[in-house]
Structure formats: C-alpha cells, structure tokens
Amino acid sequence: MRAITKQFLYALFALALCIVTVMCGWGNLSAYAATDESVQATYENTNVLNNLKGATIGGKEFDLKDYPHNSNGKPQVISFVEFCYSYYAEKQADYGLYIYVYNPQDIAFDMSSERNQIQFTYGDKPSYSKYVLEFLNYSTEAGYEGRFWKFKVKFSEAQRTAIIKELDANSRVYKISGIELSYKNTVTEYACGQTYTYKGYALGYGSELAASDTLSCKVDGFDRYLSLDVQSTYWRPQGTHSDGYTKDTIHSVYFSVPNKAISEYGEMTAVHATWLNAYTAPILITGNKDIYNVLNKYIGKYVYGGTTGGTCELKNPNNNIGYTIIATKAAEGLRDDVDMAPMAGYYAYNAYTNWTGMDNDNTASFDRFMYYLRYLFYADNGNADTYTLPAEKLIGDKKNGDKGWFETYTAAYGGTLINNRYSRDLFETVDSKFTDVTISSNDTYKLTDNTVSDTVWDRLFGNTLKAENSYEFSAIQKVTVNDISRLTDKSLFCDTYYVAESDYGDFTNYVRNAAAKEETVYLFRYYQSEYVSNEATEYKRVSKWALVGGNYNAYEYVDTNAFYCQMWVQLDFDIIDLTFTKDNVVTIIPVVMSPIDIAADGEHPASTQGEKGLQWWQMLLGLIALLIIFWLLLKFCPVVFVILGNVLLFPFKCIGALFKAISNGVKKRKERRKEKQEKEFESEKKRRRRAIERKQKESGELPDYVWTDDKKVKPKRKKKSAKPPELNGNVTPEEVDSYLDSIDWDSVDWSKLDGKGG
C-alpha cells in the first residue's frame, strides 16, 4: 500500500488515548536488584511471556486468547518499553528501550541478524532513524512457541546520550513508524504508526523521596506515514573517461507519492535514505562457450599456475584450467606474446597497465592476479562485445522468483558474511558503515564522458579522444505522463531523465499506473560512482612448441570475446523519511518500505577490438604475401600490371584533371583582377597629376616637379648670371663665352635695352 493510511493496521493495539501499565510482569525494580545480575540484565533474561502476563495492553489486560495463530497475519508491535529513564546522570546507564512483537504466523525470524531494526524518532526531533534490534528471547510455552518475541533496541553510547538529551524529562515522546524483521535473510518492514508518551519514573530513578512507581504511558496512533513501492534504475553516458574503460554512473530509485499528500504538504524537497556501499570483485563475462564450460568448474576454487624449479610442472591440483584471461588498457598488446608459460593457470586481470612480461613466480608485472574466480557469466548471444549483463543476474529477480549470483554463490561457497547475507569474497571493497544521508532537491550531480573514435586511422595515430561532454542535473525530479508523451523517442527520453534504456518499459508503465491511482512519480538520484569495463583477451594453453618464442606449454591467442567489469552496488537501500515543503512550512513524513539491494547492468566495453583481431606475425605474413604477389605481377604479367595500374590510376587522374581545371580557373580570375587594378591605378595617377598642375598654374608657383611622359622630372631653374668680366684688355675669349652662357636669355627684358629693341 502506497497511500497515506487513514486507519491503523492493527486491531489489537494502538487504540488512541489508552493508558497502560507498561510492564506489570516485572513490577518493582527492587525485585530484580536483589539478584547478582544488574537490573537491566535481569529484566532482559526474563521470558517475554512472563513480562506480558499481568500487563495491560491497549487498555486491556493481556490474554493469550487475543493472540491466535494466523497464517496470513503480519507481525505487530504490541509494546514499546522505556526502561529505567532517569534525569540523574549517574543512573542513566540502566536506560534502555525494548520491543515486544506479536508473531501470528509463528515463523522463525533470523535471531542473530543485525538487519532486524526499528525506525522511530524521539522528543522534538523531526527526522527518523533506524536502530538495530538485538534478539533477547521468544515465548516457549506449549502451543505458543515463537508467538511472542522480545527485542532490545541496540544503540551506541553516543546514540544513548543523544536520545536522553533530546527527551523532555516530564513528557518523553517516541514515535515509531515501522519495524523491520528478517526471515530467511529477507527483510520486510511492517508499519507501526504509534506514538508512546512516557511520564513519571520507575521507583529509584525519579525523586529520591518517591515511595512508589509513578511511570505511565499513553499510546496514540498516527496515520501520517507513507508506504512506498521503490524501484531502482541507473544511467551512464555513452562515452568513457579519457582512459577508455571507466564510465560515470548515476544510481537512482523512483517511487510514487499520493497527489493528496502533495496537495496537503507541498512538493517533495528532500529524501532521507540509508544503504551500504560495496564494490564487486572482477566479474568475467565470456561469449566463448567452450571457455565458459571449462572455467565454470573452477569458480570459488584456488588456482595458482606458477612453476617450480624453472620447469613447467604446475604446483596446484587446480592448475590445468587450460586458459588465461587478461584484461589490460590495450588488450591487443598482449597478442604479441604467445610465450606465456610462466603464467600457466592464472586468471590474470590487469585493468590499468600493459603486461610487460614476468619471471617465474613473479607477479609484480600485473596489478592484480585473480587466484579465485568469483563471478562467471556466459553472454547469451555468444558475443561479449555486444552483451550487457542484467542487474537481476547479480541481485535476483523478485518478480520471477529468481535468485541472484550474490545469493547462489554465498550458498555454495560460504565465507565471512557481510551484512549477515553475502559472502565477503564477492566484494573487493565494502564500506565500514552504512551511508545515512538526507539529499535535497537543490543538490546536483555532474557526470562527464569523452567521445572516442573507433576508426583504424585514429587508433593508428592515437587520436581517439574526440570530445568531452558534461551532464548536470538535480537529485530529485518529478516525472509525469505528459513528459512521456512529450518525448516519444526512447533514447531521447532516457537521456533527458537519466534512466537506463533497459528500464524504460518498467519506468514508463510505473508512471502511467501511478497516474491512474492519482499518484505522482519522483526520481531520486542518490549516488554517483565509477564503472569499469575492460575487454579481455583469452589465451589457450598449448602442449607444443609455440610458433613464436619456442617455449613448450605456452599460451596462444584465442579471441577477445570476453570482458571484465566492476561496479558499486548498494545493499539494503532504505528510505527513512520524506520532506515536503509548502508555503515555507516543512513537513517530514516517515516511510515504510522493505530494504532492497541495488545494482546496475554490467555493460560491455565502450570500445572493443572485435572477434578476429590479427597478431603481429599474421600481419607480417600478410604483408610479405602481398609483396610477393606484386613482384610476380611485375615480372610475369607486365601488360596485366600496366592495365591494372591504369585502372587503379584512372580515378586519381580524374581527380588530378579536376584539380587542374579548378587551378586554371583560379589563375585566370587572378589575372583579370590584376589587369583591372592596374587600369584603375593609371586612371587615378593621371587624375592626381592634372589636379596638381591645375593648382600650380592657379598659384603661379614653380612646381617642385613636372610630368613628362608620365614621369616626374625637376623643372629647369633660372641660371644665376655670372659676374661680367672686366674689360681691361686681359679678358680671354673663354671668359667671355662663360659669361654669355651664364645669362638666362629668356628672362632678359629687351625693351629696356637702348630703346632699339635688340
């Protein structure tokens, strides 16, 4: 049920405003103090039925007849006990909280699991928190075995201090929204919706002058909580980081909220959630059925193929797996090395540096050696280059009742458990504690990727990085049916709302179904991580002298029809409460949901080498064969060679002619443009010359130069008259001639000469 409940789910308890005697079964604490055990230990060791008999539950004295077996019934909290609260600091060590549960199906809950938890808040604290429930005992009376369970709320000293500090000593309020119980490793949360208000004190924990207990409890029901059906999705960009094999991943969940709640409390503005992060060990996916069938026998078994004494005698009974699977930054680089005898029997995984060779028993050349294969999957389509491993293969598919790899591997191989569930061996890294965070709609994420070219030319010259993209979006986003109708293209819709295309059908159907029930769907992006996917090269061990290297028992290349991947998963993801805001009024509503495990799909590498990659010696042989054919054609078939050459050259000649025609056209256009410019220059030059001469003529000044045949020449200047020679009989003819030559005859005013005019 995902609506805000308008009535209590429990008929036997949680009636409003009923006053109860909390635990008449244990009565005066002095009775427990008389033993050697502490008051708390004595109370905890008392059987649940001894506590309940004689107590008042829901305003009525406890009676076993009111709690029959019911195969369809659900567990119910019938009492929440505040034990030994005191405002005296020296007496607060005995303070504790206890839960009594009615188990109508008489099922055997997992008693040692820390996944049994209770969700509540206290005092004026608005947000809720989960606390582990420590199993104490269950009823053993004949006919009522396991009908009633007793748990202790387990908290740290810091949590105890925080609770006591927040409580009002005169009226201590606890609001319980739900309880989670584990049954056969599956946790289910059951709604509670109860407010317990305690007043007074147990004898000895209040006033020193008090003569009796004054402790009382009022139980009120509340219906302001949400039961959510939470589903998961993820999104990754198409490209990778610059390394070519790492992708950003955004992890999301989606759920629906009743429109009535949104109308009353406003839009959802924050989500409080918890989960445990874990990073998987390398997951191997192969499309080679033969290799899959062989490796399947060695899952979870120790494999070490090192050599001894320089020979090829293998050290371990699990040595003859016959294959080595290596992932590197450039897997094709390993194809050169057929001589890999020192690595016999290894699952070699090196995701970050190229393999450079190694000595016997020296593992330093690899970043990681997989002595155990923890994951193995077969690509159903036979081609790992195009195969994507569904997340359900890891975490299971509840819809179809299929178990996931986490569960089946743990059942088969065991080992230390994390979170009381899965083998620790399945994970390379596990967080030391749960993430507990409140994320608001103002929070954003930013993902990046690089577009990489797969062309042979770009790979040859290392020019594979084409462009870098970034994607930024809000942590909370509402999605409606109109949004689906607006974006009819599947890929465009998924890239707009950051939903995996593999989840498109489920997500859009969920939105439509929610709308039909007058509910609104929210996408909640809660975590960003990196996903690694490397193409793997598969080698087969051969008991023969290798063609290259000359080493017996070497490995030869098979194919690249495989890849390794690693991802972050979230175990026991749980939403605690939701925050709504309307007219600046903030309302926090607790959530009831059963924890879920979340994983993304294991996508194939963004870039692969293909199924039939050639080794260097294969390419060398091909080049030699090509040269031989060329030589034979040249020597024995010259006519054929000439014809073939003409045929091959014909398109190039056509291209050359085209370029020549284009070049000639360009040249002619340049010549015409130059001729036009020269004419314009001459015209301008003459215009300027005429303008200068006109100006000089008007001013009467002698110009600094004149134009002669389109050239500038200095004008002829007046000669200065030489001093006439003295006529004293000593003048030579030469002097006379010189004087006469110095006279500027053109400037002589002949009219002034002796009046004779010449």
Side-chain angles (χ1 to χ4, degrees):
M1 181 183 65
R2 288 172 285 126
I4 293 184
T5 309
K6 291 302 181 183
Q7 59 183 359
F8 286 106
L9 302 178
Y10 314 105
L12 301 177
F13 187 58
L15 298 175
L17 302 177
C18 61
I19 306 299
V20 300
T21 301
V22 180
M23 279 291 127
C24 296
W26 56 270
N28 195 315
L29 291 178
S30 59
Y32 299 100
T35 68
D36 292 334
E37 293 180 317
S38 67
V39 172
Q40 201 172 44
T42 302
Y43 172 66
E44 291 174 2
N45 290 332
T46 305
N47 186 266
V48 57
L49 268 183
N50 292 338
N51 290 145
L52 290 173
K53 288 179 179 179
T56 300
I57 304 296
K60 181 181 177 181
E61 185 175 350
F62 176 81
D63 188 344
L64 282 174
K65 295 179 182 179
D66 295 331
Y67 302 92
H69 172 83
N70 183 355
S71 298
N72 297 320
K74 295 182 179 180
Q76 302 173 18
V77 174
I78 58 174
S79 187
F80 177 85
V81 175
E82 179 196 73
F83 187 83
C84 295
Y85 173 84
S86 177
Y87 45 70
Y88 294 119
E90 64 272 14
K91 294 184 178 182
Q92 290 175 353
D94 289 335
Y95 170 77
L97 299 173
Y98 297 86
I99 305 295
Y100 289 78
V101 176
Y102 164 43
N103 175 22
Q105 295 183 4
D106 298 332
I107 58 178
F109 297 118
D110 300 328
M111 292 176 285
S112 62
S113 177
E114 291 194 350
R115 301 177 71 209
N116 294 324
Q117 298 186 62
I118 185 171
Q119 180 173 303
F120 68 92
T121 189
Y122 47 85
D124 293 328
K125 181 173 175 285
S127 62
Y128 286 70
S129 300
K130 285 192 180 294
Y131 299 89
V132 172
L133 292 177
E134 179 184 342
F135 168 74
L136 295 178
N137 55 64
Y138 57 79
S139 57
T140 56
E141 187 172 319
Y144 295 94
E145 295 89 347
R147 186 72 52 84
F148 304 96
W149 290 64
K150 181 179 178 181
F151 296 94
K152 174 184 179 180
V153 179
K154 185 178 180 181
F155 38 64
S156 65
E157 194 61 38
Q159 290 172 326
R160 177 201 301 271
T161 302
I163 293 174
I164 294 176
K165 182 179 179 180
E166 181 68 28
L167 293 173
D168 181 345
N170 296 319
S171 182
R172 304 175 301 276
V173 178
Y174 305 88
K175 292 183 179 180
I176 306 173
S177 61
I179 182 172
E180 295 177 354
L181 297 174
S182 175
Y183 174 61
K184 294 183 178 180
N185 247 346
T186 298
V187 172
T188 303
E189 183 167 13
Y190 303 97
C192 184
Q194 299 171 7
T195 299
Y196 290 80
T197 303
Y198 278 88
K199 294 183 178 181
Y201 307 92
L203 183 62
Y205 289 85
S207 171
E208 294 181 351
L209 300 177
S212 62
D213 291 333
T214 59
L215 185 64
S216 66
C217 176
K218 183 178 72 172
V219 182
D220 297 317
F222 66 88
D223 57 5
R224 198 171 69 178
Y225 62 87
L226 292 169
S227 294
L228 300 183
D229 174 21
V230 179
Q231 304 296 322
S232 67
T233 186
Y234 74 97
W235 185 81
R236 297 186 184 113
Q238 291 295 320
T240 66
H241 291 186
S242 58
D243 58 20
Y245 53 82
T246 302
K247 284 188 174 186
D248 283 338
T249 302
I250 188 68
H251 302 262
S252 307
V253 295
Y254 56 92
F255 50 85
S256 61
V257 174
N259 294 341
K260 190 172 183 179
I262 298 173
S263 176
E264 183 176 357
Y265 303 112
E267 287 292 340
M268 188 180 77
T269 54
V271 179
H272 176 199
T274 67
W275 66 86
L276 181 65
N277 277 321
Y279 190 58
T280 66
I283 301 170
L284 175 60
I285 296 97
T286 178
N288 189 312
K289 191 67 172 181
D290 293 335
I291 294 179
Y292 171 82
N293 290 335
V294 171
L295 298 187
N296 195 44
K297 304 173 185 177
Y298 296 93
I299 295 173
K301 295 180 180 179
Y302 178 74
V303 173
Y304 177 64
T307 60
T308 58
T311 69
C312 291
E313 178 185 356
L314 299 175
K315 292 180 177 180
N316 190 274
N318 294 327
N319 54 30
N320 56 344
I321 64 173
Y323 294 96
T324 290
I325 300 92
I326 301 175
T328 64
K329 185 180 294 186
E332 71 277 12
L334 292 173
R335 298 175 185 170
D336 301 346
D337 297 282
V338 177
D339 177 14
M340 299 173 66
M343 299 181 356
Y346 277 108
Y347 300 103
Y349 179 67
N350 181 345
Y352 308 107
T353 58
N354 286 322
W355 182 73
T356 56
M358 56 181 284
D359 298 325
N360 288 351
D361 300 330
N362 177 16
T363 63
S365 298
F366 286 88
D367 286 351
R368 179 190 293 111
F369 267 87
M370 294 171 58
Y371 298 108
Y372 293 88
L373 186 61
R374 306 298 184 185
Y375 298 87
L376 177 65
F377 295 95
Y378 176 67
D380 298 333
N381 62 354
N383 184 3
D385 289 349
T386 60
Y387 180 75
T388 294
L389 179 72
E392 290 77 12
K393 294 280 188 179
L394 297 176
I395 60 176
D397 186 355
K398 292 184 178 180
K399 295 180 182 178
N400 300 321
D402 297 332
K403 295 182 178 180
W405 186 272
F406 293 167
E407 186 175 354
T408 56
Y409 180 95
T410 302
Y413 304 102
T416 303
L417 300 182
I418 61 167
N419 207 24
N420 289 322
R421 299 181 66 199
Y422 301 135
S423 173
R424 178 64 177 78
D425 298 331
L426 289 167
F427 305 98
E428 184 175 297
T429 302
V430 179
D431 283 1
S432 59
K433 62 180 181 179
F434 273 72
T435 297
D436 189 331
V437 64
T438 297
I439 300 174
S440 76
S441 56
N442 294 327
D443 294 325
T444 59
Y445 296 93
K446 185 175 183 179
L447 278 64
T448 60
D449 77 332
N450 297 280
T451 303
V452 180
S453 172
D454 285 329
T455 65
V456 175
W457 182 265
D458 287 333
R459 286 187 173 277
L460 181 63
F461 293 97
N463 184 29
T464 58
L465 182 59
K466 292 302 179 185
E468 183 174 355
N469 308 301
S470 61
Y471 315 86
E472 189 167 0
F473 44 88
S474 173
I476 298 174
Q477 186 172 18
K478 182 166 60 176
V479 185
T480 67
V481 174
N482 290 337
D483 297 323
I484 299 174
S485 301
R486 180 173 54 88
L487 298 174
T488 57
D489 181 78
K490 176 180 177 180
S491 297
L492 180 60
F493 177 88
C494 291
D495 289 343
T496 300
Y497 289 95
Y498 305 100
V499 173
E501 289 194 22
S502 59
D503 295 326
Y504 174 79
D506 290 340
F507 178 75
T508 52
N509 288 336
Y510 189 98
V511 173
R512 293 188 181 98
N513 293 335
K517 293 182 289 185
E518 297 186 350
E519 297 177 356
T520 298
V521 173
Y522 287 91
L523 270 167
F524 171 49
R525 292 103 181 202
Y526 63 90
Y527 185 62
Q528 180 178 343
S529 71
E530 291 185 346
Y531 169 75
V532 174
S533 181
N534 300 83
E535 184 178 31
T537 306
E538 299 178 308
Y539 294 89
K540 182 178 181 180
R541 184 169 179 168
V542 290
S543 298
K544 62 183 180 181
W545 287 95
L547 176 63
V548 179
N551 198 341
Y552 192 67
N553 276 340
Y555 280 83
E556 64 180 8
Y557 168 80
V558 177
D559 59 35
T560 58
N561 190 10
F563 67 91
Y564 287 100
C565 66
Q566 286 183 273
M567 70 180 78
W568 285 96
V569 299
Q570 293 77 50
L571 305 179
D572 277 353
F573 176 89
D574 202 354
I575 295 179
I576 309 302
D577 54 51
L578 303 178
T579 300
F580 296 84
T581 304
K582 182 178 183 179
D583 299 330
N584 295 323
V585 176
V586 176
T587 303
I588 297 178
I589 301 178
V591 167
V592 175
M593 69 160 285
S594 298
I596 59 175
D597 295 329
I598 298 177
D601 295 340
E603 297 178 357
H604 57 77
S607 177
T608 60
Q609 300 301 314
E611 292 296 317
K612 303 296 182 182
L614 297 177
Q615 300 184 53
W616 68 268
W617 57 271
Q618 291 174 315
M619 291 186 288
L620 178 61
L621 291 177
L623 179 60
I624 294 174
L626 182 62
L627 292 175
I628 292 175
I629 293 172
F630 181 81
W631 179 78
L632 290 174
L633 288 174
L634 184 63
K635 184 173 181 64
F636 298 106
C637 303
V639 177
V640 175
F641 183 76
V642 170
I643 295 174
L644 180 62
N646 288 333
V647 171
L648 294 175
L649 292 175
F650 179 74
F652 296 100
K653 289 181 179 179
C654 293
I655 294 173
L658 176 62
F659 276 106
K660 185 175 181 180
I662 294 173
S663 177
N664 290 337
V666 172
K667 183 177 180 181
K668 288 180 180 180
R669 286 195 297 272
K670 287 183 177 179
E671 290 175 351
R672 287 195 296 268
R673 187 161 52 256
K674 182 178 180 181
E675 182 179 350
K676 181 179 179 182
Q677 291 174 347
E678 288 178 349
K679 289 181 179 180
E680 291 175 350
F681 175 74
E682 291 297 328
S683 177
E684 176 66 15
K685 186 169 62 174
K686 290 179 180 180
R687 185 189 67 77
R688 292 186 179 184
R689 184 185 66 186
R690 288 193 295 270
I692 293 173
E693 289 176 344
R694 184 171 59 255
K695 182 178 180 181
Q696 292 170 344
K697 184 176 181 180
E698 291 173 353
S699 63
E701 296 178 354
L702 186 66
D704 293 332
Y705 59 86
V706 294
W707 293 91
T708 304
D709 296 332
D710 294 332
K711 294 182 180 179
K712 293 188 294 185
V713 238
K714 289 184 178 181
K716 186 176 181 182
R717 302 288 182 181
K718 292 181 179 180
K719 295 182 179 180
K720 293 182 179 181
S721 299
K723 185 178 181 181
E726 295 181 2
L727 302 176
N728 52 12
N730 295 324
V731 179
T732 64
E734 289 79 6
E735 290 176 334
V736 174
D737 291 338
S738 175
Y739 171 73
L740 293 175
D741 289 338
S742 67
I743 297 173
D744 185 1
W745 299 102
D746 293 333
S747 61
V748 174
D749 188 358
W750 297 100
S751 62
K752 295 180 180 182
L753 297 178
D754 60 23
K756 296 180 179 182

